[in-house]
Amino acid sequence: MLDLRELATKKLIPLPDRLDPVYDEMLSELERRRPGEDFDGAYRDLMLDSHEQAMEIFEEAAENARDEDIRALARSSLPILHGHHSHAEALEKALSA
């Protein structure tokens, strides 16, 4: 199974060399947070939201991408994304306790 970078190279799909400005601003906002609850809550929210968005994108690609290699990559990535999301949910529960 090819990883994303290998698949993009094989399919001649250019990958960005830096974060999208929206995500760069999210990272900058996180970096401005104070250590402790201020940072922890913002990090938790970012992890939950970003993994939910990623899962939606990869689920859509797994079902509807026209290219079989892309569908396969999306399908193989979903368990990892779900695992990361589960860890983010566990973090949320730990911070809420």
Side-chain angles (χ1 to χ4, degrees):
M1 174 59 57
L2 298 174
D3 71 14
L4 179 61
R5 189 169 307 282
E6 292 169 333
L7 182 58
T9 299
K10 176 183 173 185
K11 301 291 181 177
L12 304 175
I13 300 170
L15 292 176
D17 58 354
R18 62 180 186 266
L19 284 176
D20 182 278
V22 171
Y23 298 107
D24 192 42
E25 177 55 34
M26 288 177 181
L27 181 58
S28 294
E29 173 62 28
L30 192 59
E31 290 171 341
R32 290 190 289 270
R33 298 290 180 144
R34 293 185 319 266
E37 284 188 32
D38 192 36
F39 175 86
D40 293 346
Y43 179 79
R44 173 201 62 218
D45 293 344
L46 180 60
M47 289 301 98
L48 285 169
D49 292 345
S50 63
H51 281 89
E52 287 168 5
Q53 289 173 8
M55 288 187 306
E56 287 177 17
I57 291 166
F58 277 72
E59 286 168 355
E60 173 68 23
E63 291 294 320
N64 299 314
R66 285 180 265 157
D67 185 283
E68 176 54 36
D69 291 335
I70 294 173
R71 284 194 310 273
L73 176 67
R75 281 192 303 269
S76 70
S77 299
L78 279 169
I80 297 165
L81 289 170
H82 284 284
H84 290 175
H85 187 259
S86 294
H87 288 137
E89 288 178 322
L91 176 62
E92 178 181 40
K93 289 177 185 172
L95 290 174
S96 297

